[in-house]
Amino acid sequence: MELPRRFAGKVAIVTASTQGIGFGIARRLGLEGASVVVSSRKQKNVDEAVAALKSQGIDAIGVVCHVSNEKQRNNLIQQTVQKFGHIDVLVSNAAANPSTEAILNMPESILDKLWEVNVKASILLLQAAQPYLSKGSSVILISSISAFHPPPTMSMYGVTKAALLALAKALSSELAPDTRINCLAPGFVPTHFAGFITENEAIRKEIEGKCPLGRLGTTEDMAAAAAFLASDDASYVTGETLVVAGGTPSRL
Ligand code: NAP
């Protein structure tokens, strides 16, 4: 399929983008013409992702950034601005899911980590990026189908992902009219992050059974939807959540 060139001349930052959904989004934006800035915690992963993108003709740079680290967040923004001058697309994709404990058994340190990585880091990253967001720019927060029906083993994670839906609503006014912000809520995609679910045959079958389209999602499914939200095709869409989950029950 020949892709459109909706991001020619545009600059996109995607956090947690050296594999999985983040990498898929960076790749798609790059194939549509964006200069992309990939990042994650490990230099080796960053280098490999940049090389993979460049091998496909994509203009890419990489910056190490653990999203909870203020210095590294600021460096990600500054490196981008020094190289490209502005930011057109910001995808906040990093998340942690460190425990399968029930919420009422969860230690405070885990509650703090979930809040810090899954919610607070997105806010702080956006604070750092805001001065450089171009007119017509787009921010995407990666939420989850778990925001709507938090599964028992991922319940607090689901709560933090639900917070992102409200965050997009709240920030849509603060960022208007020059910048739009939306959430993307993926269904289950067989990545490293979701391996403990998707690699379990019984659970995978259960997930597929609840999905009218009868399959897991792909990183390409998520990337295509993110590219829509980031593009001018969605220029009248802000404060919304796009569920990309094959019809898995979410909300009316
Ligand atoms: P993944 O394939 O496991 O990739 C995770 C990426 O994040 C890696 O590049 C990793 O690289 C990086 N990373 C991890 N922690 C980080 C941190 N604190 N700061 C910066 N980078 C970090 O994960 P994924 O499944 O694509 O998940 C991406 C997003 O999609 C998450 O927000 C997740 O909640 C959401 N999501 C996933 C699914 C699913 O089924 N897969 C469903 C709904 C929502 P390093 O190790 O080098 O840091």
Side-chain angles (χ1 to χ4, degrees):
M1 182 181 75
E2 193 167 330
L3 294 175
R5 299 274 301 170
R6 291 177 291 186
F7 302 102
K10 306 236 170 176
V11 179
I13 297 177
V14 186
T15 66
S17 49
T18 55
Q19 62 178 351
I21 292 170
F23 180 78
I25 294 172
R27 180 173 170 276
R28 172 70 187 242
L29 298 176
L31 289 174
E32 288 205 35
S35 297
V36 294
V37 183
V38 290
S39 66
S40 76
R41 294 167 299 183
K42 298 181 194 114
Q43 184 73 55
K44 181 172 174 288
N45 294 344
V46 170
D47 293 344
E48 285 172 6
V50 169
L53 294 172
K54 282 191 168 162
S55 75
Q56 296 182 45
I58 293 168
D59 182 24
I61 64 166
V63 181
V64 167
C65 176
H66 187 315
V67 295
S68 298
N69 181 316
E70 182 185 11
K71 219 167 145 195
Q72 293 185 0
R73 274 194 313 268
N74 291 339
N75 186 46
L76 173 63
I77 302 300
Q78 289 311 319
Q79 295 281 334
T80 304
V81 174
Q82 273 165 29
K83 171 90 177 158
F84 300 112
H86 61 278
I87 302 163
D88 302 294
V89 178
L90 177 62
V91 182
S92 184
N93 173 63
N97 184 25
S99 168
T100 54
E101 289 274 18
I103 293 172
L104 295 181
N105 293 334
M106 221 167 233
E108 189 173 349
S109 59
I110 301 285
L111 293 170
D112 286 346
K113 179 162 187 183
L114 280 160
W115 158 251
E116 195 170 302
V117 177
N118 296 3
V119 186
K120 195 173 88 175
S122 289
I123 300 171
L124 295 172
L125 183 71
L126 193 46
Q127 286 180 353
Q130 192 187 15
Y132 309 104
L133 290 174
S134 65
K135 197 170 161 64
S137 53
S138 172
V139 177
I140 300 173
L141 308 175
I142 303 301
S143 176
S144 170
I145 190 74
S146 303
F148 300 95
H149 298 280
T153 55
M154 304 169 70
S155 47
M156 193 59 211
Y157 163 86
V159 173
T160 61
K161 290 296 189 178
L164 297 179
L165 276 47
L167 186 61
K169 279 276 177 236
L171 290 178
S172 61
S173 308
E174 290 192 29
L175 290 167
D178 289 343
T179 300
R180 297 178 296 103
I181 178 166
N182 293 288
C183 277
L184 175 69
F188 289 93
V189 181
T191 61
H192 177 71
F193 184 80
F196 78 106
I197 293 174
T198 56
E199 283 163 19
N200 178 311
E201 179 82 0
I203 300 179
R204 184 172 55 74
K205 286 219 164 95
E206 193 188 325
I207 292 169
E208 288 168 352
K210 284 186 189 153
C211 172
L213 295 188
R215 65 169 175 87
L216 299 177
T218 65
T219 58
E220 289 82 4
D221 292 328
M222 304 310 141
F228 163 70
L229 287 175
S231 78
D232 289 345
D233 287 338
S235 60
Y236 200 46
V237 182
T238 193
E240 297 296 341
T241 296
L242 179 54
V243 179
V244 187
T248 303
S250 53
R251 38 89 168 118
L252 278 180

